Amino acid sequence: MNHRRFLVPLLGLACLLTLLLVCFGPALFRGEQFAYRDAGHFYYPLYKVVQEEWDAGRVPLWNPWENGGMPLLGQPTSAVLYPGKLLYAGVPYAWGARLYTIAHVLLALGAMFALMRHWQVSRTGSLLASLGYGFGVPVLFQYCNIIFLVGAAWMPLGLLAVDRLVRLRMRRAIVELAAVLTMQTLGGDPQATYVTGLIAAGYALAIVGAARRSPNDGDRPRSSRWLVWSLVAIGGLIAWVGLTLVAGIWLPELRPRPTQTQPMPVFPWTPFASKLVLGGWAVAAVLIAVVWKRSPKGRARMGMLALLLGSAALAGLLAAAQLLPSSEFNSLSSRVAREGSHEIYAFSVEPYRLAELLWPNVFGMSFGVESTWMYLLPPGGSQKVWVPSHYLGGPVLVLALTAFGFRGRTPGRGLMSAVALLGVLAGLGMYTSPLWFARFVPGLAEQIGPHDPAMTGPVRLDGMLRDGDGSFYWFLAVVLPGFDGFRYPAKFMTFAALGIAGLSGFGWDRLVGGRTRRVVVTAAVALVATIVAGAALAVGSERFVAWIASDQMATQGGTFGPIQPEAARFETARALGHAAVVMTLMLVIAPLAARRPKLGAALMLLTLTADLIVANSRFVLTVPQEMLDVENTPRVLDLIAEAEAEQPTEGPYRIHRMPVWSPLNWTVTSDPNRVRELVRWERDTIQPKYGLLSGVEYTHTEGTAELYDMMFFFAPFQRRLRPEAARMLNDEAGKEIVVFPRRGFDLWNTRYFVVPMVSADWVSEFRSYAAFLPETTTIDPDREAFAALPIEEQNRITLENDVQILRNEAAYPRAWIVHELKVLTPITGLDREARLGVMNEILHPGPGDPFWSNPDLNVFDPRRLAWVEPDDPSVLQGFATGGPPGMGERVEVIAHEPQRVELRATLERPGLVVLADTFYPGWQLTIDGEPAPIIRTNRMMRGAAVPSGTHELVYTYEPDSFRLGLLGSTIGLVLALVLLGWSFLRPTLRLGTADQGEREDAGPEFG
């Protein structure tokens, strides 16, 4: 037996284990937990709620702890039905959270290895691709946002199924592709599902188009083809830039300017845009079908696309139990509203960050001592970082660059090149728009407007086009139906990582096949560029440090403190030195690999492993498990419990914690342990969703999507300070500050406000708590004790703790009775104008409020009057008896469970019982055991018409969307099993292309 054949696999396994131990050792062996960013305050509490529902014997359908209640299954981020959640079964939840993350990193590695081996890439090439993909930052760092790690883990298997279906025509691949799309959807990443489908369609067209080129095509000189394509590309680029600039000048003239009631100006045709896109696709499909039907190749294209659509339809059926509730929720959310807050360009990747593919962490590091100087570059501090680096390993980059291309008969190389290119172009987001570059030219900026201001919404308030309009990502959002519902262009860098890592496997095989020149030249160029950059840094080192130290952005600081100039210089120098060592090793290994492949493979694997450990293991951040344990009660909840013991609240209550702020002293200090400090502070102050671990009911939290109507109750707005309000705040009259609609929080049973101590001049929506000051009692800190402290101690507490708890004395109970009704015509659609009148009536507090009083608006009392929108107004006859509630009338909340709410109401005369829980499809009501209608009340609350006397009201959540979806998933599972059985009887498909057998081993030739 030749034992040397096992050398590479064993070494690859050793490299994998080493990377696992280094990256995940603290979680596996030191009892620590992934808890930075969304891993801590979002997914850890959310998934615990999901698991507790399963443990209680309930399907996790409803989340009563946030926003007055909202769907749990209907939010894809909950991943309620994802089979991978079985990893949580039978182990403590903390271990389930660890294993779930690590298992998906391993799945990403294994899936990439399987894909590369499917394309007959060598074991070494497959291992290099797998390690670069799984331990590259774009995938590895997604432990912070686990749904995207799940999507990334299944991506390679999706491409494998696509290739089996499209190129090899394997029947079972229909089910395989459907299974992958289902897993991505159920795992919480429908965008990965969508893009995988797009890639499949493009690959199918390329494969069929490459089959049996005509003799004339083969005889045409390559130089002439390149000339034609070059001219077409240059002409298209000029036309694209010119048209975008013209649109930037002309289109704003057609857009109405903002008004008092229309703060977000939109184009008149915006409501019809989606319909036009769908109509355009329908017309195009008919025309293409007519043309394709006339040729064998066209019919083959139609047949292949039909198979892909069939696979997608099967995936839709399999995931129907998730898709139907999600579609129901999204149809009512701000994401699909005409004037919602959905932002498609956030987290675009700045072009200069592509340097991170070669120089790991070249722009510095956060997560301790702040050394990230990228914020000093354009666009001037408004960067939003999705992942802190894009490094996949130096060997991966070099080998990928040498393999990039769209010609040749190597299966998969053209596909991976296309995926890499698509991922980079889409990942750059707004920065591929000519407008963004043109606005650096003063003359052009005068005509097309300046760059987007900081915190710009979906539409600029000055009516000008956004920086990203006209970009490649904008094109995708406009042309592809539903694509504009997704967020964050930076997520496409995961696809780029997939393509680049896959190309590195092909690059290795080309290297050991004797093509060393391109590898050596590429590594040499990278080394020279690194040396030049290092020399420039060395020569200008002092200027570099002085530039950082003098910049206002650097001295202001953020969560991790001000930028440390010396640390920034060190990290940049370290990145360049790291790259220089790796590129030097590449120059040594490349020629050796061609002569002695086994030795070269061993050295390359060891180099990549060491490279990834040094560069990327720093990004896996954990904290001690006890910081997240339920037994470790947050400090804020301890203080609220003490306040409740002294003055109990009758019935359940909600807490509003302002969402995003951190102690101000962090902005001026650095701490290597800031991540742990951050998690401890966020947990102690119950930043959403940490409070879910302790059963907190939040009034308002922000996530991936919220119900559109709920934002009217809680969205901030600006008001000018009147003299009496200015005196309350010790500020100047006439100043514009940020104000929240206080009555909205009162109505929704908000008993406590958790807010900052520092107001930031009342101009930040994250710190301006002015509206929460009237009719509240300070629970902590004790005002008298605090005032007695020396000024220095007061300042220290304010800067270090920066949190206070206010008890709302004006909070409404969870349920109450009214006898006056204002019957409205039900509002349909998601239009702002249709809601403004009724919402102003509900929320306007009147002249007694120091911050919001408009003499043009009437004043109503929601304790006496309810705004109702019944489907059948006759059900309310006899229940609008008028007058205030009687002294003996009351409502008691008997039970408040996730999918069941029980009330006991005593009424002296017929009236409406208002429950401050969300009105939503699927809720059923019985009164004394008899079915009764739920009446939409106060726009988003539940109302029940109840006769006089004492009655039991029981609300239960039984959504038809889940019931129908479950039926669809069952049908899909049966169809999948039938198709699998059919595939064993007839393994391959025939679509009428006579030359398919000749090209089974070939990949598409683009161009």
Side-chain angles (χ1 to χ4, degrees):
M1 179 180 293
N2 183 6
H3 296 285
R4 296 179 61 184
R5 62 180 297 196
F6 297 105
L7 174 63
V8 170
L10 289 175
L11 182 60
L13 180 60
C15 291
L16 170 60
L17 290 175
T18 302
L19 282 162
L20 282 173
L21 291 175
V22 173
C23 293
F24 300 118
L28 288 172
F29 303 111
R30 298 214 301 264
E32 300 198 353
Q33 187 60 260
F34 307 110
Y36 179 63
R37 284 193 181 178
D38 288 354
H41 69 76
F42 193 93
Y43 290 105
Y44 189 86
L46 178 62
Y47 284 6
K48 193 171 195 304
V49 166
V50 171
Q51 293 309 121
E52 287 175 346
E53 284 295 281
W54 284 120
D55 293 342
R58 295 187 293 261
V59 178
L61 298 177
W62 188 257
N63 173 4
W65 300 280
E66 298 179 274
N67 301 324
M70 59 195 303
L72 189 57
L73 174 62
Q75 293 191 74
T77 51
S78 302
V80 167
L81 301 178
Y82 177 54
K85 287 290 191 70
L86 291 173
L87 286 168
Y88 286 92
V91 298
Y93 178 75
W95 267 107
R98 299 181 191 114
L99 296 177
Y100 189 73
T101 298
I102 297 172
H104 281 94
V105 172
L106 291 174
L107 176 60
L109 284 154
M112 177 59 90
F113 187 83
L115 175 63
M116 302 311 294
R117 293 296 291 163
H118 163 75
W119 279 326
Q120 300 179 353
V121 174
S122 66
R123 287 190 178 88
T124 300
S126 300
L127 284 168
L128 292 171
S130 301
L131 294 177
Y133 182 62
F135 289 96
V137 181
V139 172
L140 182 66
F141 192 71
Q142 294 304 341
Y143 76 90
C144 286
N145 216 323
I146 190 66
I147 61 173
F148 302 119
L149 176 58
V150 172
W154 287 101
M155 279 179 202
L157 292 180
L159 295 190
L160 191 154
V162 167
D163 190 60
R164 284 178 172 171
L165 177 59
V166 169
R167 184 172 63 88
L168 301 182
R169 310 290 172 88
M170 300 173 67
R171 292 181 188 273
R172 73 171 184 268
I174 299 174
V175 179
E176 291 173 354
L177 178 58
V180 170
L181 299 179
T182 301
M183 289 298 186
Q184 289 177 317
T185 301
L186 296 180
D189 192 5
Q191 184 172 3
T193 306
Y194 193 110
V195 178
T196 302
L198 289 179
I199 292 171
Y203 188 53
L205 295 178
I207 283 287
V208 176
R212 193 177 291 281
R213 296 180 182 275
S214 68
N216 291 335
D217 289 342
D219 294 339
R220 183 182 300 171
R222 180 177 298 180
S223 58
S224 67
R225 291 204 302 271
W226 275 110
L227 177 62
V228 170
W229 282 111
S230 298
L231 291 175
V232 170
I234 293 172
L237 180 63
I238 294 173
W240 164 50
V241 173
L243 290 173
T244 303
L245 295 180
V246 169
I249 299 171
W250 178 60
L251 286 181
E253 297 299 323
L254 304 179
R255 173 183 275 165
R257 291 297 180 261
T259 65
Q260 181 83 16
T261 60
Q262 181 76 44
M264 290 185 181
V266 295
F267 288 119
W269 55 83
T270 298
F272 309 103
S274 59
K275 296 179 181 178
L276 289 174
V277 169
L278 290 173
W281 275 104
V283 172
V286 172
L287 293 176
I288 291 172
V290 170
V291 173
W292 280 357
K293 192 175 181 180
R294 298 176 181 176
S295 68
K297 186 179 290 188
R299 289 193 293 271
R301 287 192 181 105
M302 292 171 62
M304 186 54 65
L305 290 180
L307 287 174
L308 292 176
L309 288 174
S311 186
L314 177 59
L317 278 174
L318 288 170
Q322 170 74 73
L323 283 177
L324 289 187
S326 296
S327 299
E328 181 179 66
F329 175 71
N330 285 330
S331 69
L332 301 172
S333 75
S334 56
R335 281 204 178 191
V336 299
R338 177 185 175 193
E339 298 164 15
S341 58
H342 184 57
E343 162 66 281
I344 67 171
Y345 299 129
F347 292 96
S348 296
V349 177
E350 294 75 17
Y352 48 76
R353 290 198 64 197
L354 296 181
E356 294 168 350
L357 291 169
L358 173 61
W359 300 324
N361 317 321
V362 67
F363 297 110
M365 289 278 294
S366 291
F367 315 138
V369 176
E370 179 66 81
S371 61
T372 307
W373 53 275
M374 177 183 64
Y375 302 109
L376 310 186
L377 301 173
S382 62
Q383 293 95 330
K384 291 185 177 180
V385 177
W386 181 251
V387 293
S389 173
H390 294 101
Y391 193 65
L392 307 174
V396 169
L397 176 65
V398 170
L399 293 172
L401 289 174
T402 62
F404 183 85
F406 300 100
R407 297 186 59 82
R409 299 177 62 85
T410 303
R413 188 169 72 94
L415 175 59
M416 297 306 264
S417 297
V419 169
L421 186 61
L422 169 70
V424 170
L425 287 176
L428 293 175
M430 60 187 284
Y431 300 114
T432 59
S433 170
L435 291 177
W436 188 77
F437 293 95
R439 282 171 171 161
F440 284 104
V441 181
L444 287 174
E446 291 179 3
Q447 301 181 64
I448 61 177
H451 285 101
D452 291 346
M455 304 298 291
T456 300
V459 180
R460 281 177 54 149
L461 296 182
D462 61 4
M464 307 304 290
L465 297 188
R466 291 290 311 276
D467 281 347
D469 293 343
S471 65
F472 179 70
Y473 194 86
W474 168 88
F475 176 79
L476 295 177
V478 169
V479 171
L480 300 175
F483 189 90
D484 58 348
F486 298 123
R487 302 192 300 172
Y488 307 160
K491 291 190 291 189
F492 269 88
M493 293 305 292
T494 306
F495 283 92
L498 174 66
I500 293 170
L503 286 172
S504 69
F506 294 112
W508 170 261
D509 285 1
R510 291 163 69 90
L511 172 63
V512 296
R515 301 184 183 183
T516 61
R517 184 172 179 273
R518 291 186 67 178
V519 176
V520 171
V521 170
T522 302
V525 170
L527 179 59
V528 170
T530 302
I531 292 173
V532 171
L537 178 64
V539 172
S541 179
E542 297 304 321
R543 289 185 179 180
F544 179 73
V545 171
W547 169 62
I548 295 176
S550 64
D551 196 285
Q552 186 178 4
M553 288 295 303
T555 56
Q556 285 178 344
T559 300
F560 293 92
I563 301 173
Q564 302 298 310
E566 292 294 341
R569 175 170 59 182
F570 170 78
E571 289 294 345
T572 302
R574 170 176 168 161
L576 296 174
H578 181 111
V581 171
V582 173
M583 292 303 115
T584 301
L585 289 172
M586 288 294 296
L587 290 175
V588 173
I589 296 172
L592 179 64
R595 299 192 307 271
R596 301 183 62 184
K598 296 289 185 184
L599 179 58
L603 292 176
M604 189 68 78
L605 286 170
L606 291 172
T607 297
L608 178 60
T609 300
D611 180 17
L612 294 172
I613 286 174
V614 173
N616 294 353
S617 63
R618 309 162 74 187
F619 293 113
V620 181
L621 304 170
T622 56
V623 299
Q625 177 63 48
E626 57 265 22
M627 293 177 63
L628 301 175
D629 288 340
V630 177
E631 295 79 10
N632 183 15
T633 308
R635 176 177 176 273
V636 160
L637 294 186
D638 284 337
L639 294 169
I640 289 177
E642 294 175 7
E644 281 293 297
E646 296 177 1
Q647 186 176 333
T649 301
E650 185 176 350
Y653 59 86
R654 295 190 174 101
I655 299 173
H656 177 62
R657 197 272 197 190
M658 294 185 70
V660 181
W661 89 89
S662 55
L664 279 183
N665 74 311
W666 289 3
T667 65
V668 295
T669 61
S670 295
D671 186 347
N673 295 315
R674 181 58 51 81
V675 169
R676 294 190 178 189
E677 191 178 354
L678 173 64
V679 172
R680 181 180 292 107
W681 189 83
E682 289 180 343
R683 176 81 197 285
D684 277 346
T685 61
I686 60 171
Q687 174 171 321
K689 307 181 186 287
Y690 275 125
L692 299 185
L693 297 171
S694 304
V696 169
E697 291 189 50
Y698 289 104
T699 303
H700 182 231
T701 64
E702 296 180 1
T704 56
E706 290 78 41
L707 292 170
Y708 179 65
D709 282 281
M710 291 299 286
M711 78 178 196
F712 288 89
F713 288 93
F714 309 118
F717 54 93
Q718 290 186 321
R719 299 294 293 179
R720 292 192 180 277
L721 279 176
R722 293 181 295 174
E724 62 271 24
R727 287 191 295 270
M728 176 189 295
L729 302 181
N730 294 319
D731 215 318
E732 58 184 277
K735 176 182 176 180
E736 272 201 350
I737 70 167
V738 171
V739 175
F740 290 85
R742 169 62 181 276
R743 181 178 278 182
F745 294 86
D746 297 343
L747 276 167
W748 286 94
N749 186 218
T750 308
R751 181 59 166 163
Y752 293 94
F753 296 110
V754 181
V755 299
M757 296 183 71
V758 180
S759 66
D761 293 327
W762 313 104
V763 296
S764 168
E765 64 178 286
F766 304 121
R767 284 187 171 273
S768 181
Y769 57 89
F772 305 136
L773 289 175
E775 296 187 79
T776 54
T777 302
T778 303
I779 300 303
D780 185 76
D782 183 284
R783 287 193 181 275
E784 294 183 3
F786 184 77
L789 295 173
I791 295 297
E792 295 79 6
E793 184 65 11
Q794 290 183 24
N795 291 337
R796 184 192 67 79
I797 293 174
T798 300
L799 293 176
E800 291 183 4
N801 293 340
D802 197 14
V803 62
Q804 56 182 323
I805 306 170
L806 310 176
R807 181 169 57 216
N808 183 12
E809 308 298 349
Y812 282 49
R814 182 61 59 90
W816 64 96
I817 298 168
V818 297
H819 297 285
E820 296 180 14
L821 306 179
K822 185 171 185 179
V823 180
L824 307 173
T825 301
I827 298 173
T828 58
L830 300 180
D831 185 75
R832 179 187 180 90
E833 289 293 332
R835 290 161 167 77
L836 281 179
V838 62
M839 290 309 303
N840 280 331
E841 290 184 1
I842 295 172
L843 296 177
H844 182 238
D849 187 275
F851 302 108
W852 183 25
S853 179
N854 187 340
D856 296 329
L857 296 176
N858 294 322
V859 180
F860 299 92
D861 183 2
R863 292 183 183 272
R864 295 185 53 164
L865 171 70
W867 293 257
V868 293
E869 301 171 45
D871 295 328
D872 179 8
S874 65
V875 301
L876 293 174
Q877 290 182 1
F879 290 93
T881 54
M887 295 296 293
E889 294 186 318
R890 63 186 307 243
V891 183
E892 182 181 1
V893 179
I894 304 300
H896 197 273
E897 300 170 356
Q899 297 170 40
R900 186 177 184 276
V901 179
E902 184 177 348
L903 308 177
R904 181 179 294 119
T906 300
L907 291 81
E908 296 176 354
R909 60 190 188 280
L912 188 80
V913 174
V914 181
L915 175 63
D917 281 358
T918 303
F919 179 90
Y920 192 82
W923 279 96
Q924 311 292 328
L925 169 65
T926 62
I927 300 177
D928 298 330
E930 295 296 324
I934 300 176
I935 301 162
R936 180 190 279 268
T937 302
N938 298 340
R939 282 302 303 140
M940 283 301 287
M941 295 179 180
R942 302 178 209 156
V946 181
S948 60
T950 298
H951 303 277
E952 302 288 333
L953 285 69
V954 178
Y955 289 91
T956 55
Y957 187 54
E958 301 171 8
D960 291 336
S961 57
F962 174 61
R963 190 179 297 111
L964 293 174
L966 194 60
L967 176 62
S969 294
T970 303
I971 294 172
L973 184 60
V974 172
L975 282 177
L977 294 174
V978 170
L979 285 172
L980 281 177
W982 176 54
S983 69
F984 284 111
L985 297 175
R986 300 182 64 182
T988 59
L989 292 158
R990 293 188 180 276
L991 296 178
T993 51
D995 57 334
Q996 178 61 29
E998 301 175 16
R999 299 190 60 82
E1000 282 189 349
D1001 296 327
E1005 295 186 29
F1006 296 86

